[in-house]
Amino acid sequence: MGAKTSQFNVKKQLEKIAEQFPTFQILNEEGEVVNEAAMPNLSDEQLKELMRRMVYTRVLDQRCISLNRQGRLGFYAPTAGQEASQIGSQFALEKEDFILPAYRDIPQMIWHGLPLYQAFLFSRGHFHGNQIPEGVNLLPPQIIIGAQIIQAAGVALGIKKRGEKAVAITYTGDGGASQGDFYEGINFAGAFNVPAIFVVQNNRFAISTPVEKQSAAKTIAQKAVAAGIPGIQVDGMDPLAVYVAVREARERAINGEGPTLIETLTFRYGPHTMAGDDPTRYRSKELEDEWEKKDPIVRFRKFLEKKGLWSEEEETQVIEQAKEDIKQAIKKADETPKQKVTDLMDIMYENMPFNLKEQYEIYKEKESK
Amino acid sequence: MTRKISFSQAINEAMKLAMRKDENVILLGEDVAGGAAVDHLQDDEAWGGVMGVTKGLVQEFGRDRVLDTPIAEAGYIGASVTAAATGLRPIAELMFNDFIGSCLDEVMNQAAKLRYMFGGKAKVPLTIRTMHGAGFRAAAQHSQSLYALFTHIPGLKVVVPSTPADAKGLLLSSIFDDDPVIFFEDKTLYNMKGEVEEGFYTIPIGKADIKRKGSDLTIVAIGKQVHTALKAADMLVEKGLETEVIDPRSLSPLDEDTILSSVAKTGRLIVIDEANPRCSVATDISALVADKGFDYLDAPIKMITAPHCPVPFTPVLEDLYLPTPEKVLHAVAEMIGDESFVAV
């Protein structure tokens, strides 16, 4: 030991860090308001809309899984369980805000304005899937884990420079928070005080690796401390808590107070992706049961029913609407012209370089036969 | 009106003109302003980068447009990619091209593919300026010429100028190009002076320049090796050979026509590339001529490159490592089977 008695109370230091990141909650598992002072100022109609979007998103997830199994969709990352995290956060945004999603964040993209059939085309690998309509502020789903974190800082840098009242919000999972890009991104955003919101949806597993095995840090929110930005841990199964955390972060950002890191504690009921991992091999039944009790839709339904704002008929209506929309969107995706090699060459550069033009002509010739 | 300025001044001037022309052009990188918020330093004392190439920019454009970033390449290159995709036109300085290992994802998977993955609906008007080249006694991790890495990746453009005038015109083209461009600056050329036009002008990316006309032999040379080729060409005149020296100036896209028509005329090709020899721009150009110009050739193609080893720190070995006019003469001697060509 360096000194006769230790000069560093490291145990206390670590305890103090953990104390600073309590889980923010408004609705408990029974749908009861446990934090009246934190209740957001949302109208009855807005509360119902939040519920409709969560139910709709759950149906979309179930249908996407079936469509994937039927071979009618390609890449798909299940979302059930994460609705409060995804929809609650998107609900706090304005149209002018930019979303930088990861591959699981298709719901936020849809509610921000991406037509459903394009989400299906993305899943099928069709280039039109990512041709985001004019005026819809989205980047395509990021596939490289954590790359979107620094990109959000870049988008926010532009927002700040142009003096716009908007934010860049990005999503990653607990796994993404282990990436070097994550640290560089939150650090960059803090250093330049840009309007960014970093949402880490901690669904407890990076594919199969549990969060406890990914880091010695007790929370992901505390990683904000090193970057000198606020870090907030929120119950990611509580749509109102997520909404309030993001809304406040947004307000700070547009008031010039810089970025925020938000950790949402959530759970994905399904596998990491439909590409083949089997969650029963890395998660216990007990853990799954424990999290299903926290279900965001069940919780919010109870809350709304108590207020007399929700009925079975209304829910059925949303489910039917979702199914119909999905059917129409699949039809539209099926009717989209198939892509050709020349299409892919067309979209690589502003003006096609002559080296590419040569290859383009060869494929065009083949395609004309 | 032209005047003599250095390679480094030409690059500085191009950035200044671009930033005056378009408010969305910003410059960011490590130490590009110099002395960020050092109290005893005012901005007019900011040093403008490790080699002073960006000196004076922060004075004119302020620290909102000339950003000293954290020393984290993935961070600021990654941020530049999306700042570009959402309206800015950043010039990001990757101090040495050797640092690409820290941010290759941002360039290879993000900048290069964003337009493609957006179905052509997004653009990434980003210029990454980066230093390359051996001969500066900067050792194995600060001396490489890694342009072949980027030439391999679709979606990027790659520019390697060899003179101040080309550097200025090509950098302005790069900055105002709507696709990502990797712009290579050989650190040993920074002090080289040349005639440069005043004011704004561009040189198209993808157009080679014939630096010397000749009918007996074609030399295609990259970056500062253009000057090796020109020296060799002077020496070859004494041997009765007229050499054509082609500077591709951009490696992606590559001006194949200019190279092929020259070989069609001369029947002989030497490629000088100071990078490592495997899967390089030298092999690429040789393959191009072997594939599309085989019938023009009177002799096998010769490549003059570095050996396949890291750049040595020892000055003696570093000098041996690089191509020289003498090595060119050796190659010519072999090519035409006449040993009298070898300079003694």
Side-chain angles (χ1 to χ4, degrees), chain A residues 98 127 130-132 138-140 142 144 147 150-151 154-155 161-162 181 184 192 347-350 354-355 358, chain B residues 23 68 72 74-75 79 82-83 86 105-106 110 115-119 121 154-156 179 206 253-254 256 292:
Chain A
F98 245 103
F127 71 88
N130 281 336
Q131 287 183 325
I132 312 291
L138 290 170
L139 262 78
Q142 181 60 256
I144 304 294
I150 46 186
Q151 295 186 336
V155 173
K161 188 179 171 295
R162 289 185 292 272
D181 283 9
E184 294 196 24
F192 290 102
I347 60 178
M348 280 170 55
Y349 291 96
E350 179 80 14
F354 41 81
N355 302 144
E358 211 170 82
Chain B
E23 174 68 22
D68 280 345
T82 45
T86 55
D105 181 67
E106 282 61 40
Q110 310 298 331
R115 179 191 285 279
Y116 174 81
M117 293 186 75
F118 248 118
K121 291 266 286 184
L156 299 176
D179 287 307
L254 179 71
E256 299 183 354
K292 295 184 183 167

Side-chain angles (χ1 to χ4, degrees), chain B residues 212 228-239 241 243:
Chain B
R212 179 190 176 117
T228 308
L230 290 169
K231 270 183 216 138
D234 280 342
M235 293 157 85
L236 286 166
V237 173
E238 293 165 25
K239 308 283 181 186
L241 282 185
T243 305

Side-chain angles (χ1 to χ4, degrees), chain B residues 91-264:
Chain B
I91 307 166
E93 183 181 298
L94 180 64
M95 195 186 282
F96 290 88
N97 75 157
D98 314 67
F99 302 168
I100 189 63
S102 299
C103 57
L104 188 55
D105 181 67
E106 282 61 40
V107 178
M108 171 178 77
N109 283 327
Q110 310 298 331
K113 296 183 175 61
L114 207 58
R115 179 191 285 279
Y116 174 81
M117 293 186 75
F118 248 118
K121 291 266 286 184
K123 58 180 185 178
V124 183
L126 165 67
T127 303
I128 297 176
R129 291 178 41 245
T130 190
M131 255 195 281
H132 76 111
F136 203 69
R137 315 307 186 213
Q141 295 158 328
H142 289 70
S143 300
Q144 299 168 86
S145 287
L146 296 173
Y147 29 72
L149 273 182
F150 302 95
T151 305
H152 187 71
I153 299 168
L156 299 176
K157 293 183 178 178
V158 180
V159 175
V160 191
S162 69
T163 67
D166 285 353
K168 180 176 166 185
L170 282 163
L171 182 53
L172 281 166
S173 285
S174 303
I175 295 168
F176 291 101
D177 197 288
D178 278 344
D179 287 307
V181 180
I182 319 294
F183 187 90
F184 284 84
E185 300 167 13
D186 192 307
K187 56 182 101 55
T188 64
L189 289 178
Y190 278 141
N191 292 326
M192 192 195 85
K193 291 204 167 173
E195 292 292 336
V196 175
E197 278 291 333
E198 282 181 351
F200 191 101
Y201 67 90
T202 57
I203 291 173
I205 297 172
K207 189 83 199 82
D209 186 38
I210 300 175
K211 289 280 191 270
R212 179 190 176 117
K213 282 212 166 282
S215 51
D216 301 321
L217 163 70
T218 300
I219 301 181
V220 178
I222 319 299
K224 76 161 169 287
Q225 297 310 328
V226 167
H227 305 289
T228 308
L230 290 169
K231 270 183 216 138
D234 280 342
M235 293 157 85
L236 286 166
V237 173
E238 293 165 25
K239 308 283 181 186
L241 282 185
E242 284 301 329
T243 305
E244 184 141 296
V245 177
I246 296 176
D247 176 0
R249 299 194 292 197
S250 83
L251 304 178
S252 190
L254 179 71
D255 186 350
E256 299 183 354
D257 288 348
T258 300
I259 296 170
L260 288 167
S261 359
S262 177
V263 178

